[in-house]
Amino acid sequence: MKIFAIGMNYAAHNKELGHTLLIKEPVIFTKPESAVIREHKPFFIPDFAQRFDYETEVIVRINRLGKSIAPRFAHRYYDEVSLGIDFTARDLQDSLRSRGLPWDICKGFDGSAAIGQWMDKTQLPPATDLHFHLDIDGQRVQEGHTANMIHPIDEIIAYVSRFFTLKTGDIIFTGTPAGVGQVSEGQHLEGYLEDTKVLDVRIK
């Protein structure tokens, strides 16, 4: 299983992190399989950075082999949708960025990818019209709508497949909207896709 993630895919999130460049092509980074936190497993705060942020994202799971997929056919390559959290060592990322270094250790560390319960996409609105949000201890902290993506899901799948062969079970994180923030020990994170709770993570 491969995990692909898209950075800077919502303009408001880019602004809150101080990025003003127009992103003409999807920004791709990867996470290893060891990054996955399965349903209802906790996120243990590591000791190698001072600040770890949540980034709530719509995720899709690839259901067939694909390479150089045309955007008009990309919808055929996934049939399940959920939410994920891209946990990010933010202070470490800032340090890496300032030196022009790769993001791997701040984005791909063990336990950095929480995966929610999968939903059949036919039971949901179109991929371009999905609402989602994250609550922490019962308070809404992040909210997004896929219509605000700079690069829509089908475009992302087509673009990724230009460089990587997509295989059944691969997962794509499609980017986070504004509202990211730091996690703290003891918090309870709950993610909702439309009105359905699909993600439940406790911070340890």
Side-chain angles (χ1 to χ4, degrees):
M1 180 186 72
K2 302 184 296 297
I3 303 171
F4 300 98
I6 306 301
M8 298 182 284
N9 201 27
Y10 287 83
H13 170 61
N14 299 344
K15 184 177 180 180
E16 75 178 348
L17 292 186
H19 304 300
T20 58
L21 294 176
L22 177 63
I23 308 301
K24 294 182 179 180
E25 297 176 331
V27 175
I28 301 172
F29 60 95
T30 61
K31 291 174 177 277
E33 189 170 353
S34 59
V36 172
I37 301 175
R38 301 293 180 183
E39 294 176 43
H40 304 300
K41 299 296 184 181
F43 172 72
F44 292 94
I45 297 176
D47 61 2
F48 53 77
Q50 298 300 309
R51 177 183 175 123
F52 290 87
D53 285 2
Y54 59 81
E55 297 189 5
T56 312
E57 313 191 10
V58 171
I59 61 175
V60 297
R61 184 159 60 182
I62 300 300
N63 65 358
R64 66 181 67 187
L65 185 71
K67 174 67 176 175
S68 298
I69 301 164
R72 68 183 183 278
F73 298 132
H75 66 279
R76 301 178 181 177
Y77 287 81
Y78 67 100
D79 52 20
E80 292 180 304
V81 182
S82 190
L83 292 185
I85 297 179
D86 167 22
F87 287 107
T88 302
R90 187 69 69 199
D91 53 331
L92 185 55
Q93 183 186 40
D94 291 342
S95 174
L96 293 167
R97 274 180 168 157
S98 69
R99 292 176 285 156
L101 299 175
W103 296 0
D104 297 57
I105 59 175
C106 69
K107 286 283 195 178
F109 58 88
D110 289 355
S112 62
I115 303 294
Q117 177 182 347
W118 294 102
M119 296 184 66
D120 186 330
K121 74 175 185 181
T122 63
Q123 305 302 312
L124 293 165
T128 54
D129 189 28
L130 293 172
H131 294 84
F132 60 100
H133 68 270
L134 179 73
D135 293 350
I136 296 183
D137 298 332
Q139 299 296 316
R140 188 168 301 187
V141 295
Q142 192 175 21
E143 190 168 8
H145 184 206
T146 55
N148 295 323
M149 286 181 172
I150 297 171
H151 304 288
I153 291 173
D154 288 357
E155 179 186 327
I156 290 169
I157 290 172
Y159 186 77
V160 171
S161 74
R162 290 176 59 190
F163 307 95
F164 305 94
T165 298
L166 294 176
K167 296 184 177 182
T168 301
D170 288 349
I171 295 171
I172 299 179
F173 279 64
T174 61
T176 194
V180 302
Q182 185 175 3
V183 295
S184 302
E185 184 177 347
Q187 288 180 328
H188 184 199
L189 280 58
E190 298 172 288
Y192 292 80
L193 183 56
E194 292 297 321
D195 295 323
T196 302
K197 178 179 172 179
V198 296
L199 187 63
D200 191 306
V201 181
R202 294 186 181 272
I203 309 300
K204 301 288 189 179

